[in-house]
mmCIF file of all heavy atoms in Angstrom:
data_model
loop_
_atom_site.group_PDB
_atom_site.id
_atom_site.type_symbol
_atom_site.label_atom_id
_atom_site.label_comp_id
_atom_site.label_asym_id
_atom_site.label_seq_id
_atom_site.Cartn_x
_atom_site.Cartn_y
_atom_site.Cartn_z
ATOM 1 N N TRP K 145 53.513 150.522 106.311
ATOM 2 C CA TRP K 145 53.450 151.828 105.713
ATOM 3 C C TRP K 145 52.453 152.731 106.422
ATOM 4 O O TRP K 145 52.650 153.989 106.448
ATOM 5 C CB TRP K 145 53.149 151.738 104.209
ATOM 6 C CG TRP K 145 54.306 151.171 103.477
ATOM 7 C CD1 TRP K 145 54.378 149.990 102.826
ATOM 8 C CD2 TRP K 145 55.588 151.785 103.314
ATOM 9 N NE1 TRP K 145 55.616 149.781 102.285
ATOM 10 C CE2 TRP K 145 56.396 150.888 102.557
ATOM 11 C CE3 TRP K 145 56.154 152.962 103.736
ATOM 12 C CZ2 TRP K 145 57.728 151.158 102.252
ATOM 13 C CZ3 TRP K 145 57.480 153.248 103.421
ATOM 14 C CH2 TRP K 145 58.224 152.356 102.693
ATOM 15 N N THR K 146 51.402 152.161 107.001
ATOM 16 C CA THR K 146 50.498 152.985 107.794
ATOM 17 C C THR K 146 51.203 153.531 109.015
ATOM 18 O O THR K 146 51.108 154.725 109.367
ATOM 19 C CB THR K 146 49.279 152.162 108.210
ATOM 20 O OG1 THR K 146 48.579 151.683 107.044
ATOM 21 C CG2 THR K 146 48.323 153.029 109.038
ATOM 22 N N ALA K 147 51.956 152.653 109.677
ATOM 23 C CA ALA K 147 52.709 153.098 110.858
ATOM 24 C C ALA K 147 53.789 154.142 110.479
ATOM 25 O O ALA K 147 54.028 155.105 111.205
ATOM 26 C CB ALA K 147 53.391 151.897 111.539
ATOM 27 N N ALA K 148 54.417 153.930 109.327
ATOM 28 C CA ALA K 148 55.444 154.872 108.878
ATOM 29 C C ALA K 148 54.887 156.262 108.646
ATOM 30 O O ALA K 148 55.516 157.271 109.062
ATOM 31 C CB ALA K 148 56.109 154.328 107.595
ATOM 32 N N PHE K 149 53.724 156.354 108.088
ATOM 33 C CA PHE K 149 53.151 157.663 107.791
ATOM 34 C C PHE K 149 52.538 158.299 109.053
ATOM 35 O O PHE K 149 52.585 159.503 109.220
ATOM 36 C CB PHE K 149 52.105 157.560 106.698
ATOM 37 C CG PHE K 149 52.686 157.610 105.332
ATOM 38 C CD1 PHE K 149 53.065 156.422 104.678
ATOM 39 C CD2 PHE K 149 52.933 158.781 104.697
ATOM 40 C CE1 PHE K 149 53.623 156.434 103.441
ATOM 41 C CE2 PHE K 149 53.479 158.832 103.426
ATOM 42 C CZ PHE K 149 53.862 157.650 102.791
ATOM 43 N N VAL K 150 52.040 157.466 109.957
ATOM 44 C CA VAL K 150 51.498 158.019 111.227
ATOM 45 C C VAL K 150 52.658 158.615 112.034
ATOM 46 O O VAL K 150 52.530 159.684 112.620
ATOM 47 C CB VAL K 150 50.769 156.914 111.996
ATOM 48 C CG1 VAL K 150 50.471 157.384 113.434
ATOM 49 C CG2 VAL K 150 49.486 156.544 111.293
ATOM 50 N N THR K 151 53.776 157.890 112.103
ATOM 51 C CA THR K 151 54.902 158.424 112.845
ATOM 52 C C THR K 151 55.477 159.647 112.209
ATOM 53 O O THR K 151 55.966 160.564 112.889
ATOM 54 C CB THR K 151 55.982 157.323 112.993
ATOM 55 O OG1 THR K 151 56.336 156.819 111.680
ATOM 56 C CG2 THR K 151 55.510 156.182 113.860
ATOM 57 N N GLN K 152 55.433 159.692 110.850
ATOM 58 C CA GLN K 152 55.922 160.893 110.164
ATOM 59 C C GLN K 152 55.078 162.102 110.557
ATOM 60 O O GLN K 152 55.600 163.197 110.817
ATOM 61 C CB GLN K 152 55.849 160.666 108.642
ATOM 62 C CG GLN K 152 57.013 159.902 108.053
ATOM 63 C CD GLN K 152 58.241 160.750 107.985
ATOM 64 O OE1 GLN K 152 58.168 161.961 107.720
ATOM 65 N NE2 GLN K 152 59.408 160.140 108.163
ATOM 66 N N LEU K 153 53.781 161.937 110.567
ATOM 67 C CA LEU K 153 52.911 163.043 110.962
ATOM 68 C C LEU K 153 53.130 163.442 112.429
ATOM 69 O O LEU K 153 52.933 164.605 112.779
ATOM 70 C CB LEU K 153 51.434 162.618 110.757
ATOM 71 C CG LEU K 153 51.017 162.404 109.297
ATOM 72 C CD1 LEU K 153 49.570 161.908 109.247
ATOM 73 C CD2 LEU K 153 51.158 163.688 108.489
ATOM 74 N N ALA K 154 53.541 162.477 113.254
ATOM 75 C CA ALA K 154 53.793 162.773 114.646
ATOM 76 C C ALA K 154 55.172 163.363 114.859
ATOM 77 O O ALA K 154 55.498 163.808 115.969
ATOM 78 C CB ALA K 154 53.680 161.506 115.482
ATOM 79 N N GLY K 155 56.019 163.425 113.790
ATOM 80 C CA GLY K 155 57.334 164.034 113.897
ATOM 81 C C GLY K 155 58.401 163.107 114.479
ATOM 82 O O GLY K 155 59.434 163.612 114.915
ATOM 83 N N VAL K 156 58.165 161.814 114.479
ATOM 84 C CA VAL K 156 59.142 160.836 115.013
ATOM 85 C C VAL K 156 59.366 159.735 113.987
ATOM 86 O O VAL K 156 58.556 159.526 113.081
ATOM 87 C CB VAL K 156 58.700 160.235 116.349
ATOM 88 C CG1 VAL K 156 58.575 161.326 117.406
ATOM 89 C CG2 VAL K 156 57.346 159.516 116.190
ATOM 90 N N THR K 157 60.463 159.011 114.180
ATOM 91 C CA THR K 157 60.763 157.866 113.335
ATOM 92 C C THR K 157 60.024 156.623 113.852
ATOM 93 O O THR K 157 59.330 156.688 114.851
ATOM 94 C CB THR K 157 62.267 157.590 113.298
ATOM 95 O OG1 THR K 157 62.680 157.195 114.617
ATOM 96 C CG2 THR K 157 63.034 158.827 112.869
#
Side-chain angles (χ1 to χ4, degrees):
W145 290 113
T146 301
F149 277 91
V150 169
T151 53
Q152 278 285 326
L153 293 176
V156 296
T157 65

